[in-house]
Amino acid sequence: MGRKTAPSLALTIAVFLVSAAAATAAARDPELEICRHQCKIQTAFDKDQRESCYTKCELYSREKARREEEEEGRRSSEEREDESPFVFRPRHFLTAHSSERGRLSVLQRFSKRSSDLFQVIEPFRLGVLEVEPKTFAIPNHLDADLLCVVASGKGIVNMIQENKRVNFNITEGEMVVIPAGATTYLINPEDDRKLVVVKLIRTISAQPGRFEYFFGSMVMNAFSTSIREAAYSDADRETLERVLNRSGRKQDPFLAISNEQIESIIRRQEDEDGIGWPFVADKSSKRRRIVDILEHKSISNKFGELYEVGNEEFDDIQISFANITKGGMLGPLFNTRGTKLMFVVEGEGWMEMATAAEPRRSPRRGGSSERGPSFEGVRARLFPGTVVITPAGHPYANVASRGRNLKLLCFQVNARSNEKVALAGKDNVFTRLDRVAEEIAFGGSRKEVEQVFGSNSEYQLFFKGPSREPEEDGGHAAA
């Protein structure tokens, strides 16, 4: 017979740790001691196996403590960031409509964070529409204007306005305006890719920031039977109940659509607009009411690209898309008039912004505020779904992680006559100061000042990013 072998060391330790986790009680951290005790009482272990078991218990305990410390640090960082009124996370979006085939989320009203800071953007909201493949978003209208940008995927839009229907295809990077009251419906014809549309919503109601979606048959069901029968007098009551979905079936704004139904819609588009399948569009068509943001590149170098475009119907809004190369940085810079609403589409990184510190009260002179300017830094991690508000005049910088590009979609409100002012690199504002101003404003010789502000003079706005993460360089965390 073969020699009796000891049980697997890894399996034994795994059993010990599961038992220890279940036995955790009021003690400070019993897992390590329980694990060591189990190693000690195993008669099948020889001396070397027992020592190895002790070592593995120690390593597990240290790794557990490290993970807990990292998790605590992450939670602490998020809590500090949440204290900043300028940063919104995906959890701050409210779900307006949701089902397995689609979702519409709307960011909370800006005035809930700060009515003073965000007065200029109070009439606006930010929304995200997600439509699953082979899905039909039913006809609806809003009491608000929409400026829609496709963040990913493709879609087919039909819009009815002034008793005329127009239809067009949309794809990633394109923008379309939908006026208040226009009835629209949308299709995602793709087989496996979600359609994501980011919306700037300009409310027109008496209460800024408030708006409603009105969905076709759902709206008609709000009327009494007598009103509906009078309005649609050619149909009997049974037909009305069936067509208007009055029978109590669940009403969903997102419905499945077949390939045959999609192809039928596309063939109708071919007849009306000369737009073929799949998505061979006549871009010269007057009925194609979209703008391709990615055709309007304004700045480009090896560290990033910036695309910018305006719109006649939103004449005080500028839309931009920034693609920051991994390890690259946009800024520091500021806008002279515009307030920027930035949405993270893809990638990770962080942002920093300078803002005026709250004045401190002096214990002398009757508690008056201390004189002299004081500024503090706002810092936040960036990941998809994060929204950052940058008011006019506030210097900021966005940094992409070293793992992948950082893609940012921005809506700039109050953009008319706005100017981007660079604080580093080519044409930065400090290089335009005269010699006397340089000597008075900054310490050091003129040569030293010019050495500092003459850095990266071959690059505009996009530069190589920091070599260290913010936590490592002693900077100020978001507050």
Side-chain angles (χ1 to χ4, degrees), residues 51-311:
E51 288 299 325
S52 178
C53 184
Y54 288 152
T55 300
K56 289 183 181 293
C57 288
E58 293 282 354
L59 292 175
Y60 170 82
S61 179
R62 292 174 191 168
E63 178 62 20
K64 174 174 172 281
R66 185 189 66 80
R67 289 197 303 266
E68 289 176 347
E69 185 177 350
E70 286 183 352
E71 178 64 17
E72 179 62 30
R74 183 189 64 79
R75 286 197 300 266
S76 177
S77 175
E78 287 188 355
E79 288 171 0
R80 289 196 304 271
E81 289 169 2
D82 285 348
E83 292 175 2
S84 169
F86 305 100
V87 181
F88 297 82
R89 297 303 186 188
R91 64 178 175 274
H92 295 129
F93 280 83
L94 311 174
T95 301
H97 303 283
S98 180
S99 73
E100 63 179 11
R101 305 205 66 89
R103 174 174 175 160
L104 173 64
S105 305
V106 181
L107 190 62
Q108 62 183 222
R109 294 168 64 189
F110 298 114
S111 58
K112 283 189 173 293
R113 283 291 187 93
S114 174
S115 57
D116 295 332
L117 282 174
F118 302 140
Q119 186 173 6
V120 70
I121 58 174
E122 189 176 5
F124 295 88
R125 300 286 293 276
L126 203 62
V128 178
L129 173 66
E130 301 170 82
V131 184
E132 296 294 330
K134 296 292 188 289
T135 297
F136 175 81
I138 69 173
N140 65 86
H141 73 271
L142 283 81
D143 57 344
D145 297 316
L146 295 180
L147 199 163
C148 307
V149 178
V150 183
S152 64
K154 295 180 179 180
I156 305 170
V157 176
N158 280 261
M159 180 168 66
I160 302 171
Q161 185 184 22
E162 296 178 351
N163 209 31
K164 296 179 181 178
R165 182 174 62 85
V166 294
N167 50 61
F168 35 84
N169 300 323
I170 54 175
T171 189
E172 186 173 321
E174 292 183 332
M175 173 191 72
V176 60
V177 173
I178 299 177
T183 296
T184 61
Y185 51 98
L186 177 129
I187 300 164
N188 179 0
E190 296 285 275
D191 292 321
D192 54 9
R193 190 179 185 192
K194 181 189 295 186
L195 171 64
V196 180
V197 180
V198 182
K199 303 181 177 185
L200 181 67
I201 305 165
R202 181 170 62 186
T203 61
I204 59 175
S205 67
Q207 293 181 293
R210 294 189 179 275
F211 70 96
E212 294 291 342
Y213 273 86
F214 298 89
F215 292 92
S217 61
M218 299 183 193
V219 172
M220 297 313 303
N221 286 337
F223 288 96
S224 65
T225 300
S226 58
I227 290 291
R228 289 184 293 112
E229 288 180 346
Y232 308 113
S233 57
D234 288 352
D236 57 40
R237 176 174 292 189
E238 182 179 346
T239 302
L240 276 176
E241 293 291 333
R242 186 167 55 252
V243 170
L244 297 182
N245 206 22
R246 188 74 171 180
S247 59
R249 290 178 295 170
K250 179 183 177 182
Q251 297 184 345
D252 191 336
F254 304 101
L255 304 173
I257 187 170
S258 68
N259 285 326
E260 292 74 18
Q261 291 170 319
I262 293 173
E263 290 174 6
S264 176
I265 290 173
I266 295 297
R267 282 194 294 270
R268 188 180 183 93
Q269 283 186 249
E270 290 176 349
D271 295 338
E272 295 179 353
D273 287 344
I275 302 177
W277 172 265
F279 303 109
V280 180
D282 174 13
K283 292 198 175 186
S284 64
S285 172
K286 293 182 179 179
R287 302 182 72 180
R288 184 175 171 87
R289 299 166 56 96
I290 64 176
V291 175
D292 188 348
I293 300 172
L294 301 182
E295 290 183 352
H296 298 266
K297 185 184 294 185
S298 59
I299 297 172
S300 177
N301 62 46
K302 66 180 181 180
F303 299 114
E305 299 172 324
L306 180 65
Y307 305 83
E308 299 174 296
V309 66
N311 185 271

Side-chain angles (χ1 to χ4, degrees), residues 321-341:
F321 178 78
N323 183 6
I324 307 174
T325 306
K326 56 185 179 182
M329 176 175 71
L330 169 61
L333 74 152
F334 67 88
N335 291 292
T336 56
R337 300 180 62 85
T339 293
K340 188 178 69 170
L341 287 65

Side-chain angles (χ1 to χ4, degrees), residues 303 329 331-332 422-431 446-464:
F303 299 114
M329 176 175 71
L423 299 177
K426 182 180 179 181
D427 296 332
N428 78 74
V429 67
F430 298 120
T431 62
R446 182 187 182 192
K447 182 179 180 180
E448 290 173 325
V449 172
E450 291 178 347
Q451 183 180 7
V452 170
F453 296 116
S455 303
N456 288 314
S457 59
E458 67 272 34
Y459 299 115
Q460 185 176 12
L461 293 188
F462 293 95
F463 315 106
K464 181 180 179 181

